[in-house]
């Protein structure tokens, strides 16, 4: 398989890591592509599974909801059939376990034709990194991913945020965080409140108040990382898997079971379909968490 130019490769990566039509997230491939690009940028052209599996697992557990793991195919293997990745041996028996990959000394690398375009081409790597980030992850966790992976990245062009959506959501909640009730104060950046999409824009969530929550910076991050969610009954639920991303555990756990702050008019109440999407696709836990003893 030959790729004539950078554009063709970018198109291929864009299509193989796209969203499912029903908004179901498949974050494993995009995450693995970011991981492999970062490794290549740092000079690691071949990745030996036994050397990376711990880091890879940690990455998946931090940035993929557990339910997505259940339906995700191991990207280290599945990318081979997409034509951009190859292994040093042919694997025949499915499914493959971690131990099989380790015991057989399995190693992977970008396909030589892909490597030809990527190797030493920092601007191409950066542009693919940027596109994968923008297509699959909310802006508020881009920096976390960048730091975690050591991603090469040019300062991103500041995207135009939907000012109208931002203003309407903040107004609906009287400029207060729905989790901690802190209110935005003019000229105090520490109290800044953000309008967060419940169902991400990347998954087709609309710019409407019913799909928005007003959140302070800390809770905006926690919500988008799946450390907490809000049920259709508007109860805050904290993930049992709340680990990995720096946070204060006590501060997080004490939120469990609390009711979210409601908007100033019932017409702005978040729709259950969007809350359920977040619960299913982003939250790192199960509804059972509702009854867990903290
Ligand atoms: Zn808050």
């Amino acid at each position: 398989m030959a790729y004539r130019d950078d554009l063709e490769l970018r198109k291929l990566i864009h299509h193989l890591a796209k969203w499912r039509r029903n908004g179901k997230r498949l974050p494993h491939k995009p995450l693995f592509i970011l991981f492999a690009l970062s490794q290549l940028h740092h000079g690691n052209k071949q990745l030996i599974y036994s050397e990376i599996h711990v880091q890879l697992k940690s990455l998946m557990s931090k940035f993929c909801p557990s339910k997505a793991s259940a339906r995700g195919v191991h990207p280290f293997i599945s990318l081979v059939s997409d034509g951009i990745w190859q292994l040093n041996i042919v694997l025949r028996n499915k499914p493959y376990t971690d131990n099989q990959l380790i015991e057989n000394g399995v190693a992977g690398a970008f396909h030589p034709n892909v490597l030809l375009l990527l190797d030493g081409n920092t601007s191409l790597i950066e542009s693919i990194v940027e596109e994968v980030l923008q297509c699959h992850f909310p802006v508020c966790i881009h920096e976390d991913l960048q730091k975690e992976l050591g991603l090469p990245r040019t300062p991103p062009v500041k995207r135009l945020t939907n000012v109208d959506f931002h203003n309407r959501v903040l107004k609906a909640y009287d400029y207060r965080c729905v989790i901690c009730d802190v209110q935005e104060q003019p000229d105090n950046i520490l109290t800044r409140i953000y309008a967060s999409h419940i169902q991400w824009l990347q998954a087709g969530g609309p710019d409407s108040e019913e799909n928005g929550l007003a959140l302070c910076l800390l809770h905006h991050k926690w919500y988008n990382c799946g450390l907490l969610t809000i049920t259709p009954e508007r109860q805050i639920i904290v993930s049992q898997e709340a680990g990995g991303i720096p946070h204060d555990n006590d501060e997080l756990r004490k939120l469990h079971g609390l009711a979210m702050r409601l908007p100033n008019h019932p017409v702005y109440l978040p729709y259950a379909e969007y809350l359920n999407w977040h619960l299913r696709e982003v939250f790192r836990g199960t509804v059972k968490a509702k009854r867990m003893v903290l």
Side-chain angles (χ1 to χ4, degrees):
M1 200 173 297
Y3 306 97
R4 282 167 303 188
D5 53 29
D6 297 4
L7 188 62
E8 204 170 327
L9 178 61
R10 287 176 60 180
K11 270 188 195 167
L12 178 81
I13 291 181
H14 177 78
H15 285 294
L16 68 86
K18 68 185 175 187
W19 288 75
R20 283 190 177 174
R21 267 199 301 268
N22 54 7
K24 277 193 174 155
R25 285 183 75 203
L26 290 172
H28 300 79
K29 268 190 193 176
L31 261 181
F32 184 77
I33 289 169
L34 291 176
F35 176 78
L37 286 171
S38 177
Q39 292 289 321
L40 176 63
H41 179 69
H42 291 100
N44 302 324
K45 291 182 189 174
Q46 189 185 55
L47 304 182
I48 300 165
Y49 190 73
S50 61
E51 292 176 1
I52 60 158
H53 77 111
V54 173
Q55 192 185 353
L56 205 54
K57 272 191 176 171
S58 159
L59 182 71
M60 297 295 172
S61 77
K62 284 178 191 171
F63 295 100
C64 298
S66 51
K67 291 171 286 288
S69 299
R71 61 172 178 258
V73 181
H74 206 305
F76 192 84
I77 306 296
S78 64
L79 272 175
V80 173
S81 58
D82 293 308
I84 69 161
W85 189 250
Q86 64 177 21
L87 302 178
N88 59 340
I89 60 172
V90 178
L91 292 173
R92 298 192 190 282
N93 302 319
K94 292 183 183 177
Y96 317 106
T97 63
D98 263 16
N99 280 344
Q100 284 172 315
L101 297 182
I102 292 165
E103 285 164 11
N104 288 303
V106 177
F110 281 110
H111 189 282
N113 292 330
V114 176
L115 199 57
L116 204 62
L117 292 172
L118 289 174
D119 196 16
N121 190 346
T122 304
S123 66
L124 177 59
I125 293 177
E126 285 177 345
S127 65
I128 295 175
V129 163
E130 196 57 33
E131 188 164 334
V132 174
L133 284 175
Q134 296 293 353
C135 284
H136 294 277
F137 303 96
V139 174
C140 69
I141 62 171
H142 288 183
E143 205 181 319
D144 294 315
L145 273 165
Q146 186 181 3
K147 281 183 187 162
E148 178 85 17
L149 291 168
L151 286 172
R153 209 179 164 206
T154 46
V157 179
K158 193 157 172 59
R159 288 198 142 199
L160 288 176
T161 50
N162 187 330
V163 177
D164 182 47
F165 169 73
H166 177 88
N167 290 341
R168 281 186 283 116
V169 171
L170 264 57
K171 213 169 166 183
Y173 287 93
D174 298 321
Y175 298 84
R176 287 181 181 276
C177 173
V178 306
I179 307 273
C180 65
D181 210 35
V182 71
Q183 188 172 33
E184 186 166 271
Q185 303 297 327
D187 305 324
N188 184 350
I189 197 166
L190 295 175
T191 63
R192 192 163 167 206
I193 304 294
Y194 299 79
S196 188
H197 289 88
I198 301 170
Q199 180 168 337
W200 297 351
L201 276 177
Q202 292 92 335
D207 277 336
S208 63
E209 288 92 326
E210 305 81 27
N211 187 38
L213 291 174
L215 293 164
C216 67
L217 178 60
L218 183 64
H219 294 139
H220 183 46
K221 277 204 168 200
W222 284 357
Y223 187 70
N224 280 297
C225 287
L227 292 178
L228 54 82
T229 193
I230 293 172
T231 66
E233 295 77 33
R234 293 160 210 135
Q235 188 183 32
I236 299 163
I237 300 292
V238 172
S239 169
Q240 292 156 305
E241 300 172 25
I245 296 190
H247 62 269
D248 183 326
N249 268 314
D250 291 337
E251 284 301 306
L252 180 57
R253 292 199 302 170
K254 74 182 183 187
L255 298 171
H256 188 76
L258 299 180
M260 67 170 267
R261 177 190 172 80
L262 298 181
N264 52 27
H265 194 286
V267 76
Y268 301 135
L269 281 170
Y271 283 180
E273 67 174 284
Y274 304 134
L275 294 168
N276 276 326
W277 179 89
H278 188 275
L279 191 61
R280 196 178 65 237
E281 303 297 335
V282 181
F283 182 55
R284 289 198 254 148
T286 61
V287 186
K288 274 185 186 168
K290 220 171 171 181
R291 292 188 287 275
M292 74 181 178
V293 179
L294 292 169

